[in-house]
Amino acid sequence: MYRFTLSSVALAALLLGGCSLMPTYQRPMAPVPQAFAGDTAAAAAAPVAEIGWRDVFTDPTLQRVIETALANNRDLRVAALNIEKARAQYRVQDAALFPTISASAGGNGSRTPADLSPSGSAQVSHSYSASLGFSAYELDLFGRVRSLDAQALEQFFSTTEARRSAQISLVAEVATAYLTMAADQDRLRLAQDTLASQGRTYQLNQRSFELGAASALTLRQAQTSVDTARVDVERYTAQVAQDRNALVLLAGADLPAELLPQALPPGETAAASPLASIPPGLPSDLLQRRPDILQAERDLKAANANIGAARAAFYPRISLTASAGSSSASLSNMFMGGSRTWSFAPQISLPIFDGGANRANLDIARTDRDINLAKYEKAIQTAFREVSDALAQRSTLGRQLEAQQSLVDATSESYRLSDARFKRGVDSYLSVLDAQRSLYTAQQNLIGTRLSRFTNLVTFYKTLGGGWNETTSSGAD
């Protein structure tokens, strides 16, 4: 007697393994030079530390603001939820590799009236059944399901890299917004100090004018300095308020006053940053660890896996439907001997003519792969340019800052001498006004240059992928 059980069918289905038509993935060559500009030998000899955001941004107040943003920023929260969504989608696709087994039970009762019954008397019949089985389980002989599973897995990994990229961008944006607000606080303080200084000068000139020792022209020239400073005070007051709003939006929560910056950090802080000591000539393969590049590569792998599914569509598809159980006319006898039932329904589908749909789907899959390849290469080229730009700017900012400080010192001395010559009657007040304006502009530019030096380190941190690894003392990042 032939015995057929559900377990033997399921075991045979799981043991049947097929080939894969998915192309073998090979990482494309990076379309950029092997190293950034600089002394390659010196860079190769220098140890490359594992740098995390806490190692770069050492200011305790800024760290607290970044921690707040990582906990509350809504864009980062959406990126994290996208990971959960992609994980669930992968689990749905991965489940297709296994048969979906379900149990069912039912009963049926019917009455046949006498005039319809063959025996001439009314009849009542009952039937009961219980079964366990699976329906339309595909034998993955040509790797279609496994290719789709690999595609879903790569898409899940892609969203994970997208979340890492979003976090690095958020840290950089918070640091930039924090430093920008600090610089505007410095500019506001400079405008307020200038307004106070020029206000005192205006009052002296007003008294001199009232005594007949100064002309109306001199008085009005002094007033222009006061009014200019007043305009800047109001402008930077509004700018600081806008900077605070931008920082609060990034943080995702209101920030208390003690977490708001009051001034740019001292220059020694930038010089002490671990990124400031990294030499040029870095190997460009460091870019392979940037999350956005890893994300582009995951997308490329997903597109590569989809080609395997498109190729498998040209081959037969075999599916199995099977069940085993028990059936009886009475519920009490349903599990007695002789009540066992089973069914086995294999099905094969062979594409013969589809109007070119399978060929078109394969062309689409290959084109998607080529599109993602171009995006991957463009991501590497963009990253190479960003790092190169950051290195090029960093190499000149120190000298710019030194030259700008020298300019401030020179214009300050020029203003002092011009003011002394005016008080002695040697020069007109116009020379004092020009010197004061030059000093004010130089001081503003010095703040801007100091800001550029700090934001360059932030940019360098971001372009390198947030440090090569995130190593922190807490799990906040």
Side-chain angles (χ1 to χ4, degrees):
M1 178 181 179
Y2 178 73
R3 296 179 177 272
F4 183 86
T5 64
L6 178 64
S7 59
S8 62
V9 174
L11 180 62
L14 291 174
L15 291 178
L16 279 174
C19 61
S20 174
L21 301 177
M22 183 172 59
T24 302
Y25 175 79
Q26 292 183 345
R27 174 179 286 180
M29 294 292 295
V32 294
Q34 294 184 353
F36 299 99
D39 187 354
T40 306
V48 179
E50 299 291 332
I51 304 176
W53 67 262
R54 295 181 191 275
D55 303 316
V56 177
F57 309 111
T58 56
D59 181 77
T61 304
L62 176 56
Q63 286 187 351
R64 290 178 60 189
V65 175
I66 293 175
E67 290 171 358
T68 302
L70 293 179
N72 297 283
N73 183 268
R74 299 310 189 270
D75 291 333
L76 190 61
R77 189 174 299 176
V78 169
L81 292 173
N82 282 335
I83 293 178
E84 297 303 319
K85 177 181 177 181
R87 180 186 287 114
Q89 289 173 335
Y90 166 66
R91 287 163 51 196
V92 170
Q93 182 59 54
D94 189 57
L97 291 171
F98 306 95
T100 301
I101 300 175
S102 60
S104 63
N108 182 46
S110 63
R111 180 183 182 279
T112 304
D115 57 348
L116 295 179
S117 173
S119 62
S121 60
Q123 293 183 343
V124 177
S125 62
H126 296 276
S127 65
Y128 302 92
S129 64
S131 63
L132 187 69
F134 54 84
S135 175
Y137 169 63
E138 181 177 348
L139 296 181
D140 196 25
L141 299 179
F142 301 100
R144 188 188 75 87
V145 178
R146 280 173 292 161
S147 294
L148 293 176
D149 181 69
Q151 180 190 27
L153 180 61
E154 294 298 336
Q155 289 173 340
F156 163 60
F157 288 147
S158 176
T159 58
T160 303
E161 299 299 340
R163 194 268 180 193
R164 288 185 57 214
S165 182
Q167 174 174 310
I168 291 171
S169 296
L170 176 62
V171 171
E173 288 175 8
V174 170
T176 300
Y178 183 92
L179 293 168
T180 300
M181 183 176 178
D184 286 337
Q185 291 275 33
D186 285 342
R187 293 186 177 105
L188 175 59
R189 193 175 300 107
L190 173 62
Q192 290 171 337
D193 292 343
T194 302
L195 176 59
S197 174
Q198 294 305 309
R200 290 191 295 269
T201 301
Y202 175 75
Q203 291 175 358
L204 292 174
N205 285 324
Q206 187 176 34
R207 279 197 295 268
S208 298
F209 172 73
E210 292 171 351
L211 296 174
S215 65
L217 176 60
T218 300
L219 180 61
R220 296 310 169 204
Q221 287 173 337
Q223 184 179 357
T224 61
S225 297
V226 174
D227 292 339
T228 300
R230 286 176 57 195
V231 170
D232 285 348
V233 166
E234 298 303 325
R235 178 159 60 94
Y236 288 121
T237 298
Q239 188 60 54
V240 167
Q242 292 175 347
D243 293 340
R244 183 187 184 280
N245 294 336
L247 190 58
V248 168
L249 177 62
L250 289 172
D254 194 22
L255 296 173
E258 61 268 18
L259 293 185
L260 298 178
Q262 300 302 318
L264 282 173
E268 295 78 9
T269 303
S273 171
L275 296 180
S277 60
I278 295 178
L282 291 169
S284 61
D285 58 5
L286 286 174
L287 297 177
Q288 300 291 348
R289 304 183 70 172
R290 269 182 50 150
D292 58 335
I293 293 179
L294 290 174
Q295 179 186 359
E297 186 176 15
R298 293 296 186 182
D299 291 339
L300 175 59
K301 289 181 178 180
N304 186 72
N306 192 43
I307 293 178
R311 286 176 174 176
F314 289 89
Y315 295 88
R317 184 180 300 180
I318 301 175
S319 61
L320 301 178
T321 298
S323 66
S326 180
S327 180
S328 175
S330 63
L331 186 61
S332 59
N333 296 328
M334 192 171 65
F335 296 103
M336 301 295 289
S339 63
R340 186 173 57 182
T341 63
W342 60 265
S343 68
F344 178 57
Q347 184 178 13
I348 183 170
S349 174
L350 177 64
I352 296 177
F353 177 75
D354 60 4
N358 285 339
R359 173 60 60 183
N361 286 330
L362 180 58
D363 291 340
I364 291 173
R366 286 172 173 167
T367 303
D368 283 341
R369 190 264 318 273
D370 294 341
I371 291 173
N372 282 278
L373 174 60
K375 290 181 178 179
Y376 171 70
E377 292 176 338
K378 179 63 179 297
I380 294 179
Q381 291 175 336
T382 302
F384 186 87
R385 179 197 168 180
E386 289 175 351
V387 176
S388 298
D389 287 348
L391 285 170
Q393 188 183 32
R394 191 190 65 173
S395 65
T396 62
L397 277 172
R399 296 190 294 271
Q400 288 183 39
L401 186 60
E402 181 180 353
Q404 190 64 43
Q405 183 62 60
S406 177
L407 178 60
V408 169
D409 295 340
T411 52
S412 178
E413 181 65 14
S414 175
Y415 172 66
R416 188 188 66 81
L417 294 174
S418 297
D419 187 58
R421 289 172 63 87
F422 166 72
K423 290 178 179 177
R424 293 173 184 172
V426 177
D427 284 336
S428 66
Y429 190 75
L430 183 59
S431 62
V432 178
L433 184 62
D434 289 340
Q436 187 273 329
R437 288 173 177 171
S438 297
L439 175 60
Y440 184 57
T441 301
Q443 289 172 325
Q444 286 183 321
N445 291 339
L446 177 61
I447 295 173
T449 305
R450 292 183 62 219
L451 174 62
S452 296
R453 190 180 188 188
F454 282 106
T455 55
N456 173 255
L457 294 177
V458 177
T459 302
F460 197 31
Y461 159 84
K462 180 181 177 181
T463 57
L464 286 177
W468 292 274
N469 275 329
E470 288 298 333
T471 55
T472 66
S473 57
S474 72
D477 66 326

